[in-house]
Amino acid sequence: MSDPEHRLPAELEHKIFELAAHAHSKSIPTLLLVARRVKIWLEPILYSMVVFCDLIDGHVCFEPVQFSSVIQSQEISEHVRRLFASHELGPHLDLVLASCSAVQNLALDSSLWPDHLLFLSTMPLRRLSTAIANAFPAITLMDRLEDALWEKWKGLALIPNLTHLAFLMQKSLAIFQGALDACPALQVLVYLYFKGIVYEKIHLQPFAQDTRFACIPAPPFASDWQIGARDGDDFWVRTERFIAQRVSGQIDRGTFVLQEDFMTHFDPSGSLWAG
């Protein structure tokens, strides 16, 4: 039995364990075994960001079957704020999305399906990164996207907390206008373009004076999500800064193209970044 006189003050002990957990999350499962009080302190940190692949160096890679069992506890599932749901989840995806209703930052490395929109509509979702070819049945990869109508995309309005929305391909003006009109919380609408690919700026000109709209180079998906999940300057933050400069007058309000030099590994087959 330990001598109480040799124990650190609870506040200091708590702080030490938190620092250790934030410094190297892979150590958290071991630290949870130290004592019940440590488990209570560190579980919110462990489950605050959940990934199922080796996406983030030093971060715990969760095992789908075990995680699916654990999150059936509401106490645990409510800790999950940032979730990278990779293909490793397989048949567990629906259960994970249904249980983790507190997620604010969600990335799916597989396509979003219509049934998933019901789960998303219950989340306090701020950021969504996914391919949406299957999310809206009327959209197929064979569609002439430049002729696409807002009617095919209006399901986006089912996400009530949608504030940031980005398209990886140039869509019709109707899509952009529909999103700006139908998503009342929308603050940022981005067209992501590929370095070296010519985009038709003239078709985007009608949005030049709408400071919510910006056109920027597409960043690498996984690494940029990692930066954002760790509260770093991902492309959303850079876009927000660019928009703030337009609003304040530091940059001409009619300048909506942000020129930066990025390498990218996006698949240009109809992906969507939204948040």
Side-chain angles (χ1 to χ4, degrees):
M1 181 179 296
S2 62
D3 184 350
E5 293 184 1
H6 292 92
R7 282 184 55 181
L8 294 171
E11 296 81 4
L12 178 57
E13 188 181 47
H14 187 177
K15 186 64 175 179
I16 291 172
F17 277 107
E18 279 194 341
L19 288 172
H22 284 298
H24 196 270
S25 77
K26 283 188 176 180
S27 67
I28 298 179
T30 301
L31 295 175
L32 295 181
L33 303 176
V34 172
R36 177 173 172 76
R37 65 184 181 280
V38 177
K39 184 174 185 288
I40 293 172
W41 293 337
L42 300 189
E43 274 190 342
I45 299 174
L46 174 63
Y47 293 106
S48 65
M49 180 163 63
V50 175
V51 297
F52 296 92
C53 56
D54 292 325
L55 171 70
I56 300 177
D57 294 337
H59 197 80
V60 174
C61 178
F62 287 85
E63 200 282 321
V65 174
Q66 183 181 10
F67 182 75
S68 297
S69 175
V70 168
I71 59 167
Q72 293 185 55
S73 161
Q74 184 177 358
E75 185 179 46
I76 296 298
S77 66
E78 288 181 349
H79 293 321
V80 183
R81 294 291 187 271
R82 293 162 291 181
L83 172 65
F84 193 102
S86 61
H87 66 276
E88 283 88 354
L89 271 175
H92 303 284
L93 177 59
D94 283 7
L95 174 60
V96 169
L97 292 180
S99 301
C100 299
S101 58
V103 173
Q104 298 176 12
N105 184 342
L106 172 65
L108 298 171
D109 72 352
S110 57
S111 185
L112 187 70
W113 289 84
D115 289 349
H116 295 156
L117 290 173
L118 297 176
F119 301 135
L120 269 54
S121 67
T122 66
M123 296 177 179
L125 199 63
R126 300 298 301 276
R127 297 185 178 186
L128 168 66
S129 307
T130 184
I132 46 82
N134 298 316
F136 309 109
I139 303 172
T140 72
L141 297 183
M142 299 302 293
D143 280 340
R144 290 180 54 81
L145 293 174
E146 64 270 25
D147 298 328
L149 301 175
W150 170 245
E151 286 298 311
K152 296 182 179 181
W153 298 79
K154 64 182 181 181
L156 291 173
L158 295 176
I159 307 174
N161 298 313
L162 185 68
T163 60
H164 293 57
L165 174 64
F167 287 97
L168 186 59
M169 296 182 67
Q170 185 170 323
K171 306 298 188 291
S172 71
L173 299 184
I175 299 299
F176 291 140
Q177 192 61 60
L180 291 169
D181 292 343
C183 302
L186 195 64
Q187 300 170 11
V188 178
L189 176 63
V190 181
Y191 164 50
L192 297 166
Y193 70 89
F194 288 94
K195 179 182 176 183
I197 296 181
V198 178
Y199 57 91
E200 297 183 36
K201 181 178 177 180
I202 189 171
H203 293 316
L204 303 176
Q205 199 63 39
F207 299 97
Q209 296 301 320
D210 192 324
T211 54
R212 293 175 294 174
F213 181 77
C215 184
I216 73 170
F221 172 60
S223 61
D224 200 71
W225 189 87
Q226 170 182 338
I227 292 170
R230 286 179 163 171
D231 300 319
D233 283 10
D234 59 4
F235 92 89
W236 290 118
V237 173
R238 295 191 294 275
T239 304
E240 288 171 346
R241 186 181 301 123
F242 176 59
I243 287 176
Q245 290 173 332
R246 292 175 66 197
V247 171
S248 68
Q250 292 177 266
I251 297 175
D252 184 89
R253 292 177 68 94
T255 301
F256 61 90
V257 179
L258 176 60
Q259 299 289 350
E260 291 187 51
D261 187 17
F262 284 109
M263 294 298 291
T264 183
H265 303 290
F266 271 103
D267 174 6
S269 61
S271 295
L272 166 71
W273 278 34

